[in-house]
Amino acid sequence: NNGVLWVLLAATAFSTLFLSPCLTPGPAEDHLRLVLKAVLVTTSWVSGLIGLKILPITTVSTLKASRPFFVVLFSIVLFGERLNLWQWVGVALALLALALAASLIWIHHINNNNDAANMDLKNANGQVSSLQSNVSNLNFQLDTTTQALKKERLANENLVKENDSLRALFPIYIKKLEVANADGSGRTTSSFGADISAASSMYLLPRITYYGFKPGEKVELQVKLYDPDGNIVLGNESPKDGSYSYIYTIKSVFPADNVESLKGWGGSDHGHFSPGSYRYEIWYNDMCFKAVTFKLK
């Protein structure tokens, strides 16, 4: 005659009563996550208490003791967490204890499979609840990292903006240099910055992201492509000490980001480049503005 639902309702009500002064308003997304977690925990406790009411105490305690092990297991599989030596020893001891307890349960036998299923459902919901907490922690860490990246970008923008000597000496400031594979028409067949297969390589197309200090002014860049042996790749019309020159008109003024795809180097045949480590360098007036090393696999 144990009242499972009444016991759970009373425990939840007293917990809410004591914690309510600590609750504060928050985003709707956080409230939805809290409701989801409440549903999971409630389902876990209801099924667990029903199993505790009906099953032998040896069965209940053994199944309940397996919960931390499965939380660790799912954390390793789903989130890639790594355990040290002592933690693995603890997992091994837990498995051994579960094996011994399971053998005792087998000796005393489990009479009702439905009751055992209630305990399994309780453990599963408890594990999902714990994993949800891990996801919430990861989301918080991601938000923190995103804010840090935004602050770093703002600091870089302020550094360039305040450096008057840089603005006076150079027409542009290159922030990023990326490479993609492209065909003869300039259409990319891979994403910029992604891995490029040597077997499908045709034209190695560089792209720059830059700040423009003098919009409307033409700027000439020297582009150097180095092969895996460290030699500059040259053509019949290559300038001195460079693969090719590229002239374009500077777009919008700082601090807007501008993107410019330069000319690709290679051929229209697939597998034009052999596997190895290549390097693109962008020069302006005998000064290297930006460089990137990439591999063809």
Side-chain angles (χ1 to χ4, degrees), residues 221-241:
L221 301 176
Q222 299 294 326
V223 182
K224 299 181 181 181
L225 174 62
Y226 292 84
D227 62 20
D229 295 327
N231 301 316
I232 299 178
V233 181
L234 300 174
N236 295 331
E237 300 180 358
S238 296
K240 182 181 179 180
D241 297 331

Side-chain angles (χ1 to χ4, degrees), residues 13-288:
F14 279 106
S15 299
T16 304
L17 180 63
F18 287 115
L19 291 178
S20 57
C22 302
L23 299 179
T24 58
E29 182 181 359
D30 292 346
H31 287 284
L32 290 177
R33 291 179 179 174
L34 185 60
V35 170
L36 177 59
K37 184 175 180 66
V39 172
L40 293 173
V41 173
T42 301
T43 307
S44 173
W45 276 97
V46 169
S47 57
L49 289 176
I50 292 176
L52 183 63
K53 175 182 177 181
I54 301 175
L55 290 175
I57 189 64
T58 53
T59 302
V60 174
S61 59
T62 303
L63 292 176
K64 187 175 180 62
S66 66
R67 173 181 166 181
F69 166 75
F70 285 104
V71 171
V72 172
L73 178 63
F74 286 153
S75 297
I76 294 174
V77 174
L78 298 180
F79 298 107
E81 294 187 6
R82 295 294 181 265
L83 305 182
N84 58 34
L85 178 60
W86 289 110
Q87 289 172 329
W88 278 116
V89 171
V91 171
L93 291 177
L95 284 175
L96 179 61
L98 288 175
L100 293 175
S103 63
L104 292 176
I105 292 175
W106 179 257
I107 294 174
H108 292 89
H109 70 270
I110 299 177
N111 295 320
N112 195 325
N113 291 331
N114 290 331
D115 299 332
N118 274 328
M119 285 304 302
D120 290 337
L121 179 61
K122 181 261 182 185
N123 283 331
N125 282 287
Q127 293 154 20
V128 171
S129 176
S130 298
L131 291 174
Q132 186 192 29
S133 297
N134 289 338
V135 171
S136 298
N137 291 334
L138 289 175
N139 286 333
F140 175 77
Q141 295 174 7
L142 180 60
D143 292 339
T144 303
T145 303
T146 301
Q147 293 297 328
L149 291 175
K150 288 181 179 179
K151 290 181 180 179
E152 181 179 357
R153 177 181 178 183
L154 181 60
N156 290 334
E157 291 176 352
N158 291 335
L159 178 64
V160 176
K161 186 176 181 179
E162 294 172 0
N163 196 335
D164 294 334
S165 60
L166 182 65
R167 297 167 64 92
L169 292 173
F170 306 113
I172 63 172
Y173 170 76
I174 299 179
K175 295 174 51 182
K176 184 166 55 176
L177 172 60
E178 300 171 297
V179 182
N181 189 43
D183 57 20
S185 63
R187 182 178 62 88
T188 58
T189 60
S190 70
S191 300
F192 282 97
D195 293 336
I196 300 176
S197 170
S200 60
S201 61
M202 292 178 287
Y203 290 88
L204 299 180
L205 179 65
R207 184 181 72 176
I208 60 174
T209 303
Y210 69 94
Y211 293 141
F213 296 137
K214 302 176 181 179
E217 181 177 309
K218 291 185 178 296
V219 60
E220 181 176 359
L221 301 176
Q222 299 294 326
V223 182
K224 299 181 181 181
L225 174 62
Y226 292 84
D227 62 20
D229 295 327
N231 301 316
I232 299 178
V233 181
L234 300 174
N236 295 331
E237 300 180 358
S238 296
K240 182 181 179 180
D241 297 331
S243 300
Y244 65 88
S245 298
Y246 184 81
I247 301 175
Y248 74 101
T249 303
I250 300 175
K251 299 177 183 177
S252 57
V253 70
F254 177 88
D257 284 347
N258 300 288
V259 177
E260 182 76 21
S261 294
L262 311 186
K263 292 188 299 186
W265 185 279
S268 58
D269 54 314
H270 288 272
H272 185 84
F273 293 92
S274 59
S277 180
Y278 292 78
R279 180 179 176 86
Y280 256 124
E281 292 181 354
I282 310 298
W283 290 68
Y284 175 79
N285 287 351
D286 298 326
M287 179 175 292
C288 182

